Amino acid sequence: MTIHADRTTDPASPGGAVPPAGRPTERRGWLVVWALVLVLVMNYADKIITNIAGPAIMKDLGIGEARFGVVQASFFALFAVGGIVGGWLMTRVRPWILLLVIMVIWSLSLLPMGWQVGFGTLVAMRVVLGFAEGPTTALAMYIAHTWFPPEKRALPSSVIIAGANVGAVIGAPTLTWIVTDHSWNAAFVALAVAGLVVAGIWLAVGREGNQGGAGAHAAGNVLPDRVPLRAALTTASVIGISVMFFAAYASTSLKISWLKPYLEQGLGYEARTAGNLTALPYLGGMVAVIAIGFVSAALTRRGVSSRMSRGVLGSSLVIAAGVLHLAWAPLDAGPLHMALLVLSACMGSAGYGATFAAISDVAPLKQRGVVLAAVTAVYGVGGFLAPLVLGGIVENAATKAAGYTTGFTLVGVVLIVGGLVGMLMINPERDAAKLAAIAAAEAPEPPSAPADGVPGKE
């Protein structure tokens, strides 16, 4: 059985030697994390642009909610495929370079919308964008985790997930202003230019670290370098994380795709007000993700198992988000409705962020990219289905408000189920031990010593 003990090489070091671990390495790691936050900021701003510009796009293109649902779902059409392809490429291309390439692709996919385009072009470019963005979160987590040992990964993971919320906090009011005072076409061009600038920053800063590290630290188990891929992908923890993330991302994708149209068309807010209110769930989510990251890290330092500090903690928050969904979905516009909506978004984002680090606890280092990509592919399916289904429900409902209520209530139920599955199945210590046993069983037996070489043999 091959065990790894932080022997990954550092490409930035002469001869590939591993520099001594310590504060300089950790400081460099945090510099990379903050660069990844910028990447996620742009990633999320690109996602929400059709949400912010939704009413204007529907008016200009002469389409209804069902066809706009197709536009929103088209982003996720190849999202899962992109995640899988990215996971495969991650084993063949330096991850930081792969991330740079896909950033350039997604920025360029926004440029055609600077001109007047039709429904088909808009859908096609959203498909390309979704394909390019599919592996982004998995790549960001993989790169970040190479800079930190297992017991310190929860906080950087949460900070990176918070970057997505920052993208919406900054992007929602800024893009609303551009769309309202200029045009939705101008907003796409602004995002393309900003994305290329961030790609330049990543070119200067982005690299992998040397903390490959083993997982399942709390139980003292050490993951093997590699196991049969089927075993790596079908542990109960990976399945539980995938189901929980499917539910969480179904909710997130509705926030990405439909929140502003919901506030404007379903609840009657004025366009600029609806755009500004769209930022509130992300602002709350940013604070919650980082706060829960600190909590998870503190629990880990105190010796609490990864199952509790990442699995149970994250799943509980997703269940709470689902309960709050059921509470706010039937309410009319008002402070209570908005407060519950924001709180549910906070719980969902924080649960997602807290649990992401658990993937590295059960994914062997040389297969971690593939496992991350597989999880991304599963939750990408939730991202595809949710906006598509909601568009059909809203268009066929007696009123838009009734359609939105039905759709968001359904997602609340999905969140509760997904959280319960995660709580029951995520147990990194148990599954790391199982993978270690599988690797040991498949390792070749050492050659037997000759009889005359056995001590005590005459």
Side-chain angles (χ1 to χ4, degrees):
M1 180 176 75
T2 306
I3 301 295
H4 58 127
D6 291 342
R7 294 190 183 118
T8 49
T9 58
D10 179 6
S13 301
V18 178
R23 300 299 299 174
T25 298
E26 190 167 319
R27 283 196 295 269
R28 176 64 194 276
W30 276 105
L31 177 62
V32 172
V33 166
W34 292 117
L36 288 168
V37 167
L38 281 179
V39 173
L40 267 290
V41 165
M42 290 311 308
N43 177 277
Y44 223 74
D46 293 347
K47 285 185 177 81
I48 68 167
I49 177 58
T50 48
N51 176 7
I52 300 299
I57 290 173
M58 284 189 272
K59 181 179 178 182
D60 277 7
L61 300 186
I63 59 177
E65 285 79 9
R67 294 192 82 193
F68 184 67
V70 173
V71 172
Q72 298 296 62
S74 65
F75 173 86
F76 298 99
L78 294 182
F79 188 87
V81 176
I84 293 170
V85 172
W88 177 77
L89 288 173
M90 221 183 293
T91 63
R92 291 158 174 80
V93 180
R94 291 276 295 277
W96 79 268
I97 295 175
L98 181 59
L99 182 57
L100 176 66
V101 171
I102 66 174
M103 288 175 66
V104 172
I105 292 172
W106 90 49
S107 296
L108 294 178
S109 74
L110 298 166
L111 283 176
M113 265 64 71
W115 294 267
Q116 291 298 324
V117 296
F119 174 78
T121 302
L122 179 58
V123 167
M125 290 299 99
R126 293 301 286 178
V127 170
V128 172
L129 177 67
F131 177 80
E133 291 198 357
T136 301
T137 302
L139 275 167
M141 290 299 178
Y142 181 93
I143 293 167
H145 290 176
T146 66
W147 286 98
F148 299 90
E151 67 274 10
K152 293 186 177 181
R153 288 174 185 157
L155 184 57
S157 297
S158 294
V159 169
I160 290 169
I161 295 297
N165 292 284
V166 174
V169 170
I170 298 172
T174 304
L175 294 172
T176 296
W177 166 69
I178 296 174
V179 170
T180 304
D181 290 8
H182 300 280
S183 69
W184 62 269
N185 308 88
F188 274 90
V189 174
L191 283 177
V193 173
L196 292 173
V197 170
V198 172
I201 294 171
W202 179 248
L203 175 63
V205 173
R207 296 296 184 274
E208 296 95 26
N210 69 322
Q211 294 289 317
H217 51 279
N221 294 317
V222 182
L223 280 167
D225 277 342
R226 186 185 296 277
V227 295
L229 186 57
R230 181 179 177 183
L233 293 175
T234 57
T235 64
S237 291
V238 170
I239 294 171
I241 291 168
S242 299
V243 172
M244 192 188 98
F245 282 12
F246 175 95
Y249 210 69
S251 174
T252 297
S253 69
L254 290 188
K255 203 167 48 172
I256 293 169
S257 306
W258 282 102
L259 185 55
K260 184 172 181 284
Y262 164 60
L263 295 174
E264 189 173 338
Q265 299 176 340
L267 298 181
Y269 286 101
E270 183 266 333
R272 195 181 296 271
T273 301
N276 292 332
L277 288 175
T278 298
L280 291 181
Y282 298 102
L283 179 62
M286 176 181 67
V287 175
V289 166
I290 294 175
I292 294 299
F294 274 110
V295 170
S296 180
L299 291 172
T300 300
R301 284 196 302 270
R302 294 188 179 191
V304 175
S305 69
S306 184
R307 176 175 183 265
M308 297 300 297
S309 66
R310 293 172 181 175
V312 172
L313 176 62
S315 300
S316 299
L317 291 167
V318 170
I319 292 169
V323 172
L324 288 167
H325 249 268
L326 300 182
W328 65 255
L331 296 180
D332 294 327
L336 178 61
H337 167 270
M338 204 66 207
L340 293 176
L341 190 157
V342 170
L343 189 57
S344 72
C346 292
M347 297 293 127
S349 296
Y352 176 80
T355 305
F356 225 115
I359 299 174
S360 291
D361 290 344
V362 293
L365 175 63
K366 292 183 178 179
Q367 295 167 312
R368 192 169 297 159
V370 177
V371 175
L372 282 164
V375 173
T376 302
V378 172
Y379 75 65
V381 175
F384 172 76
L385 292 176
L388 187 65
V389 171
L390 183 66
I393 290 173
V394 172
E395 183 153 307
N396 293 304
T399 65
K400 286 183 172 59
Y404 283 116
T405 296
T406 300
F408 285 119
T409 298
L410 179 61
V411 171
V413 174
V414 171
L415 283 168
I416 293 171
V417 173
L420 288 171
V421 171
M423 186 173 290
L424 292 171
M425 297 187 71
I426 299 171
N427 189 333
E429 288 83 6
R430 175 201 62 206
D431 291 332
K434 286 182 178 179
L435 292 178
I438 290 171
E442 296 209 342
E445 291 293 330
S448 300
D452 58 0
V454 178
K457 202 70 165 160
E458 294 293 336

